[in-house]
Amino acid sequence: MITRKEIASNLERPLMQYTVNNGNGYAFTCLNYGATLTSIMMPDRNGIIDNILLGFNGPTDFLNDQTYFFGKAIGRVGGRIKGGLFHYKNQEFLLPRNEGDNTLHGGVNGFHHMWWDVSETEKGLTFTKVINPEMDGFPGKLEVTITYRWGENNQFHVEFYAINKSDTPTLFNPTTHIYFNLNNDKLKGLNNHKLSISAEQLLELDQQQIPTGEFINVTNTPFDFRKEQNLSEMLHSLKQLNISGYDHPYHVTGPKAARLSNLNNGRIVEIQSDRNGLVFYSLNKTHPHIKVNEGNHLFPHMAVALEPQTLPDANHHPDFGDIVLPANTEKKYEITYKLSVI
Ligand code: FUC
């Protein structure tokens, strides 16, 4: 069942909120701005139904955010692009720079900052947009479709499809920026969480968090999540090395990218994707005046973002994967979140 309501009418477009209920306590809610996922509700072991995502306190707080990207669709390209540059054959394209000289999460006018047309399907929603270079600063006219839908056994599916409807090449490496906190009481932060990531390597980053091109082996480091690990303990060991938290691209092998579970209440989220990267961000820097969910103040490590994508800055590193969408070509990506309780 799908319900919709208008949240605000005094904006460029009416801000609409949609809830897609899958029954038995499972439901997701999103906005037509940023294709933002504001909640995924699910039960725990004791039958308590709660939102497993972290996001702003009120739906209008999601407007204009350029810092946290809570629940946002990210594109055309997730992560950082060195120098905000894209070279193709003999051409050079200047991309929107929004973090020093670099491009982050599609620039200020990326997917997260756009109004989307929404249509309802049987168990989901489809967001569509025709994006011209004047709108976001990337080359090429891109027709984008994002789908959020329920599948079998409470699997939540995210699908990205784009077709380059121009004679100019462009880049396409979208992701979602949902942050998970599986506790009912979000003030418990990442306590009680266990995480595994199917990766033997992560990318080395420079001072500006741009990949150097080198891979680092996780063995004997606090980056080793091949076996599931207690997240709070791992954050503690990272701090012993004077690293404030996780903000790292993992090189994942196989379709099962990661698994997050809660020791206390039995909630499990398994993330599957067709990409070779997963950015693990433990929400390291926060402003204390920000209010989230039911009105609590945001604090560091209150939730975790696990962003499946092709390894960041791939357009400068052929061995990271291919994110170029040449003229008149199309591409589809899929992320599945398997939700369950033990
Ligand atoms: C992640 C990080 C960034 C940024 C953003 C909100 O993708 O890699 O550092 O802070 O999320």
Side-chain angles (χ1 to χ4, degrees):
M1 200 185 65
I2 303 183
T3 52
R4 65 205 74 71
K5 92 173 171 202
E6 191 176 304
I7 298 293
S9 54
N10 56 340
L11 303 163
E12 198 182 318
R13 283 199 197 184
L15 180 62
M16 297 294 297
Q17 177 180 279
Y18 299 83
T19 297
V20 183
N21 198 324
N22 198 33
N24 300 319
Y26 290 82
F28 70 84
T29 299
C30 48
L31 305 172
N32 60 337
Y33 171 87
T36 308
L37 273 158
T38 56
S39 80
I40 297 179
M41 304 294 288
M42 73 175 284
D44 72 2
R45 176 187 288 157
N46 304 310
I48 299 173
I49 296 164
D50 206 349
N51 183 6
I52 58 166
L53 304 186
L54 194 79
F56 291 109
N57 181 216
T60 53
D61 299 342
F62 287 87
L63 302 168
N64 303 316
D65 166 53
Q66 299 284 355
T67 307
Y68 301 103
F69 301 86
F70 287 124
K72 297 290 175 74
I74 304 290
R76 304 183 191 193
V77 178
R80 296 176 171 86
I81 301 174
K82 186 174 176 150
L85 291 171
F86 163 39
H87 297 99
Y88 187 79
K89 299 192 172 157
N90 290 325
Q91 292 169 284
E92 179 181 270
F93 299 96
L94 182 61
L95 307 174
R97 292 168 165 175
N98 57 336
E99 196 182 68
D101 282 345
N102 305 320
T103 302
L104 173 67
H105 292 338
V108 284
N109 295 315
F111 290 6
H112 67 283
H113 190 58
M114 291 175 179
W115 292 93
W116 293 79
D117 292 327
V118 182
S119 56
E120 299 175 14
T121 61
E122 203 194 320
K123 284 204 160 191
L125 299 167
T126 301
F127 299 78
T128 51
K129 184 122 196 137
V130 179
I131 304 169
N132 290 305
E134 308 78 61
M135 293 162 73
D136 67 345
F138 277 71
K141 177 180 170 183
L142 200 66
E143 284 186 18
V144 183
T145 303
I146 304 172
T147 303
Y148 299 150
R149 65 176 179 86
W150 289 113
E152 297 290 296
N153 302 320
N154 300 309
Q155 295 190 21
F156 174 64
H157 296 277
V158 175
E159 287 143 11
F160 293 99
Y161 167 81
I163 178 159
N164 181 351
K165 289 267 190 176
S166 67
D167 297 330
T168 314
T170 191
L171 297 172
F172 188 53
N173 185 14
T175 189
T176 51
H177 216 298
I178 51 183
Y179 291 82
F180 293 100
N181 177 327
L182 307 183
N183 288 319
N184 292 315
D185 178 2
K186 301 300 182 244
L187 292 175
K188 294 206 168 92
L190 293 173
N191 285 340
N192 313 319
H193 285 75
K194 282 202 160 187
L195 175 68
S196 64
I197 302 176
S198 311
E200 279 172 29
Q201 295 176 310
L202 66 151
L203 295 185
E204 184 185 72
L205 301 176
D206 71 11
Q207 297 286 7
Q208 297 178 6
Q209 288 177 276
I210 301 286
T212 62
E214 297 298 320
F215 290 85
I216 300 172
N217 196 294
V218 298
T219 309
N220 296 325
T221 74
F223 295 99
D224 191 351
F225 285 88
R226 288 173 296 179
K227 289 201 190 105
E228 68 170 8
Q229 300 287 350
N230 181 302
L231 210 36
S232 305
E233 287 169 16
M234 291 296 271
L235 275 162
H236 182 74
S237 43
L238 202 60
K239 289 197 173 160
Q240 308 290 309
L241 302 176
N242 275 325
I243 302 172
S244 67
Y246 295 94
D247 190 0
H248 295 82
Y250 279 76
H251 181 206
V252 296
T253 42
K256 195 191 141 189
R259 182 182 192 267
L260 185 68
S261 63
N262 189 295
L263 295 164
N264 275 16
N265 64 33
R267 288 191 181 115
I268 301 172
V269 178
E270 273 178 58
I271 305 175
Q272 293 196 350
S273 96
D274 45 14
R275 321 285 273 284
N276 66 349
L278 181 86
V279 172
F280 169 22
Y281 178 53
S282 57
L283 190 49
N284 305 327
K285 269 184 283 173
T286 60
H287 301 90
H289 62 274
I290 304 283
K291 284 192 180 168
V292 290
N293 290 36
E294 266 68 62
N296 297 321
H297 285 270
L298 182 65
F299 57 84
H301 314 317
M302 196 170 184
V304 65
L306 298 162
E307 313 154 38
Q309 58 196 261
T310 304
L311 289 170
D313 204 29
N315 56 302
H316 291 123
H317 299 277
D319 57 331
F320 285 8
D322 185 7
I323 62 165
V324 178
L325 201 60
N328 301 304
T329 59
E330 59 187 351
K331 189 89 198 172
K332 192 179 169 182
Y333 294 115
E334 209 175 322
I335 305 170
T336 301
Y337 302 88
K338 295 170 110 177
L339 310 181
S340 61
V341 188
I342 44 154

